[in-house]
Amino acid sequence: MAGVQGSALAIAVSNAGGLGSLPCGLLSLQEMREELTRIAALTTKPYNVNFFCHRPPVPSPEREAAWRSVLAPYYQELALDIEAILPGALRTPFSNDAADVLSEFKPPVVSFHYGLPSPELLARVRTWGAAVLSSATTVDEARWLEAHGVDAIVAQGLEAGGHRGMFLSDNVTTQVGTMALLPQMVAAVKVPVIAAGGIVDAPTIAAAMALGAAGVQVGTAYMLCPEATTSAVHRAALKSAAAEQTAVTNLFSGRPARGIVNRLMTDLGPMSAIVPAFPLASTALAPLRAKAESLGRGDFSPLWSGQNASGCKEIPAADLTRELVTGFR
Ligand SMILES: Cc1cc2nc3c(=O)[nH]c(=O)nc-3n(C[C@H](O)[C@H](O)[C@H](O)COP(=O)(O)O)c2cc1C
């Protein structure tokens, strides 16, 4: 879960018997190396590294200008200078440089969001025998991933928190809930299917397994664990009644993602055609987000969450992992 966790959560989950995951989508190569060094030192168990593999957009000055004019009143309200926006850290796709770093550590599982990288890059990951996973949000995407050689597919239902891994279509009406998606995907492909979205406890794990899942991926439920780096405003939102209302929005990055409804989403509507292409939308929001968060407000923050935040617990990730598994057995 890029932005809300690093190696600490991954290590805790792996050591407790789950497959901990290191999100690399927002890390520099140096940060990635440091995180992988920590993982290598602190667990001998299998772990996963996760990357985005979108095509970087061609920036559009017109769209950027339109986006800034929509945000201008908020800059005024918070006494910020809209002319002083600095280029921020952006999500970068998986690259040869990232593969160089990975080849030093040989992570046993490598997963992708937004399809797969080029065949050449994928072949590099295969050289050390890594299993390759990617997310599918439709049966078509699952068939595509299987045809391109993945070892397992994450079926990401519409309940899921964070970015939708959709890559064959940008039409959000193609997106369906876990219970509808999972059995259709299991019937359509031969590779194992891992269920994601709305899975928070033993009964929801049991439901996914009953529908043919080979395993489950749990995100939101871990966000209050002490090992997560979830911000204070984000933690407060997850613990409040606000978490009962989430929506899929493209406002924060340019791509659809599920988060708790906040002021920006209410004011502009969760989906907007004005927003710059992924991941550029976040640049002009960064100063607003930082200022509002310093005032204890999540008005401009992506408060990513799945539709079921009831499983979030402020307990060590190892305990949560064991609870999920023990309860299921
Ligand atoms: C805060 C947050 C960040 C996420 N970041 C990523 C990511 O970097 N890469 C990825 O493949 N999926 C990401 N996801 C999606 C999860 O992998 C997973 O599909 C989702 O959390 C499952 O649904 P749940 O949140 O209902 O458990 C993120 C989810 C959340 C909540």
Side-chain angles (χ1 to χ4, degrees), residues 1-2 4 50 52 113 156 160-162 196-198 217-220 223 304 306:
M1 292 186 288
V4 302
N50 174 262
F52 298 120
H113 221 40
Q156 193 192 32
Q217 184 189 65
V218 180
T220 299
M223 289 175 65
W304 303 141

Side-chain angles (χ1 to χ4, degrees), residues 51-59 63 90-95 112-121 144 148 165-170 253-255 276-281:
F51 292 89
F52 298 120
C53 49
H54 57 287
R55 271 207 206 96
V58 180
R63 264 172 94 176
L90 287 174
R91 295 169 177 84
T92 46
F94 188 58
S95 63
F112 297 100
H113 221 40
Y114 308 137
L116 288 170
S118 69
E120 297 73 31
L121 271 176
W144 188 98
H148 287 76
M166 55 200 299
F167 61 94
L168 290 183
S169 165
D170 56 10
S253 68
R255 275 206 193 230
F278 181 89
L280 302 172

Side-chain angles (χ1 to χ4, degrees), residues 10-223:
I11 292 162
V13 171
S14 282
N15 281 338
L19 183 69
S21 185
L22 177 72
C24 296
L26 285 167
L27 301 183
S28 68
L29 295 174
Q30 183 52 29
E31 288 167 335
M32 198 196 307
R33 183 175 277 113
E34 287 165 11
E35 289 284 58
L36 288 166
T37 303
R38 265 179 227 125
I39 291 175
L42 295 171
T43 186
T44 53
K45 300 284 177 55
Y47 63 94
N48 167 237
V49 291
N50 174 262
F51 292 89
F52 298 120
C53 49
H54 57 287
R55 271 207 206 96
V58 180
S60 155
E62 295 78 26
R63 264 172 94 176
E64 186 64 34
W67 183 224
R68 289 184 185 203
S69 70
V70 168
L71 300 179
Y74 301 120
Y75 272 79
Q76 226 166 6
E77 180 187 317
L78 291 172
L80 291 166
D81 181 3
I82 201 160
E83 303 303 326
I85 295 172
L86 298 171
L90 287 174
R91 295 169 177 84
T92 46
F94 188 58
S95 63
N96 258 312
D97 291 340
D100 286 344
V101 176
L102 287 194
S103 65
E104 296 168 29
F105 296 90
K106 303 185 173 38
V109 183
V110 180
S111 71
F112 297 100
H113 221 40
Y114 308 137
L116 288 170
S118 69
E120 297 73 31
L121 271 176
L122 203 54
R124 290 202 57 191
V125 170
R126 295 282 192 197
T127 55
W128 63 84
V132 173
L133 272 54
S134 184
S135 306
T137 65
T138 61
V139 172
D140 272 358
E141 287 176 350
R143 286 202 189 95
W144 188 98
L145 289 174
E146 184 175 53
H148 287 76
V150 298
D151 297 295
I153 295 170
V154 177
Q156 193 192 32
L158 190 48
E159 298 93 323
H163 281 88
R164 314 261 342 118
M166 55 200 299
F167 61 94
L168 290 183
S169 165
D170 56 10
N171 182 349
V172 289
T173 65
T174 61
Q175 303 293 285
V176 289
T178 307
M179 201 179 211
L181 181 64
L182 186 56
Q184 297 188 78
M185 208 180 274
V186 168
V189 296
K190 292 192 178 62
V191 293
V193 176
I194 298 162
I199 294 162
V200 297
D201 54 15
T204 46
I205 295 177
M209 302 305 263
L211 291 175
V216 297
Q217 184 189 65
V218 180
T220 299
Y222 281 95
M223 289 175 65

